[in-house]
């Protein structure tokens, strides 16, 4: 497969990194060696195939990772794909804590990347659960029933925004905290805003 060149727009991400610099550089070389196009999306290096997102490099406090956008469709023969949270439907990560892991896994990583490219070539899509299939917290259901304008505004939001609110409102263990979150976001929902708008 053709080797692609480094994108100067992405360079700052690698040069500013204070942590994971060696790991990022190894991952970057692997990505470019697989014929993917390097772009900058969401402030991170994103590797695409014919304009479709395939994999993203990103870092966290405890690890850095490759994020496969349609990881749920990959054959995880080595059992290395991680679902970040139970609510993540499509994406999967492969996590690293030191550069030696990446060096040792280079062949495996290339295989996973090639599989991800095949998924894109085949036009496969992850079947996402509908918003109606998620459990809405009792407190939010009650507010929606009491407040018809809120119910209408919530239904008018995009499915992604609806899910974000449902997940956010569901997280706290205590009903008091769930209610507090719901009250805080009634006005944004009423004007059609998402959780992070």
């Amino acid at each position: 497969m053709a080797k692609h060149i480094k994108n100067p727009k992405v360079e700052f991400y690698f040069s500013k990194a204070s942590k994971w610099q060696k790991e990022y550089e190894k991952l970057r070389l692997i990505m470019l060696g697989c014929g993917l196009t390097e772009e900058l999306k969401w402030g991170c290096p994103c590797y695409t195939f014919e304009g479709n997102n395939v994999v993203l490099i990103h870092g966290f406090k405890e690890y850095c990772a490759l994020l496969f956008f349609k990881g749920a469709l990959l054959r995880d023969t080595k059992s290395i794909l991680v679902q970040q949270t139970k609510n993540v439907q499509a994406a999967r990560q492969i996590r690293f804590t030191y550069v030696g892991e990446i060096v040792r896994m280079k062949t495996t990583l290339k295989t996973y990347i090639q599989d991800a490219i095949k998924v894109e070539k085949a036009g496969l899509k992850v079947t996402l659960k509908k918003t109606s299939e998620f459990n809405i917290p009792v407190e939010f259901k009650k507010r929606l029933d009491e407040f018809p304008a809120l119910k209408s505004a919530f239904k008018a939001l995009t499915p992604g925004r609806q899910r974000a609110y449902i997940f956010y409102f569901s997280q706290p263990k205590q009903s008091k905290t769930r209610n507090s979150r719901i009250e805080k976001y009634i006005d944004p929902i009423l004007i059609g805003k998402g959780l992070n708008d």
Side-chain angles (χ1 to χ4, degrees):
M1 191 166 259
K3 188 171 183 173
H4 280 100
I5 53 170
K6 294 179 178 181
N7 181 338
K9 290 179 182 173
V10 183
E11 210 57 54
F12 89 95
Y13 183 89
F14 296 103
S15 59
K16 78 171 174 84
S18 55
K19 194 172 187 180
W20 311 120
Q21 204 155 30
K22 288 179 187 170
E23 290 79 5
Y24 287 158
E25 195 52 42
K26 285 283 182 212
L27 291 171
R28 184 184 201 189
L29 291 173
I30 292 169
M31 297 300 110
L32 293 173
C34 288
L36 295 170
T37 301
E38 185 174 68
E39 297 183 39
L40 186 69
K41 295 188 179 184
W42 308 283
C44 295
C46 181
Y47 298 86
T48 63
F49 177 77
E50 294 180 355
N52 296 311
N53 299 329
V54 176
V55 66
L56 184 92
I57 294 175
H58 58 165
F60 299 88
K61 188 177 174 185
E62 303 295 326
Y63 62 88
C64 65
L66 288 181
L67 178 97
F68 289 86
F69 287 90
K70 295 181 182 174
L73 298 178
L74 299 180
R75 291 173 294 134
D76 191 11
T77 55
K78 303 285 185 184
S79 300
I80 55 176
L81 293 175
V82 177
Q83 185 176 3
Q84 285 172 276
T85 70
K86 65 180 176 130
N87 295 323
V88 173
Q89 296 184 65
R92 297 292 183 270
Q93 290 180 329
I94 300 176
R95 297 175 176 176
F96 310 97
T97 54
Y98 64 98
V99 75
E101 287 177 299
I102 298 165
V103 171
R104 192 180 75 243
M105 293 175 67
K106 184 178 177 180
T107 304
T108 300
L109 295 176
K110 285 184 173 184
T111 300
Y112 277 66
I113 294 161
Q114 294 309 321
D115 282 352
I117 292 169
K118 285 177 191 166
V119 163
E120 285 309 321
K121 282 181 178 176
L124 301 178
K125 301 225 181 287
V126 176
T127 305
L128 301 175
K129 281 168 62 174
K130 292 185 175 93
T131 304
S132 59
E133 295 176 63
F134 289 96
N135 291 327
I136 296 176
V138 185
E139 297 83 357
F140 191 45
K141 268 188 196 168
K142 186 178 176 201
R143 277 312 260 139
L144 293 173
D145 290 340
E146 294 169 349
F147 195 171
L150 179 64
K151 191 174 200 170
S152 297
F154 185 72
K155 282 185 174 180
L157 294 173
T158 63
R161 284 179 172 170
Q162 289 177 3
R163 284 191 299 272
Y165 277 120
I166 291 168
F167 298 151
Y168 183 68
F169 296 156
S170 300
Q171 287 171 339
K173 289 186 168 83
Q174 293 186 359
S175 179
K176 180 179 157 188
T177 312
R178 287 193 294 273
N179 273 318
S180 169
R181 285 187 177 190
I182 292 162
E183 291 306 314
K184 181 180 175 186
Y185 282 97
I186 286 176
D187 286 342
I189 292 171
L190 288 170
I191 60 171
K193 287 192 168 189
L195 189 63
N196 299 310
D197 292 349

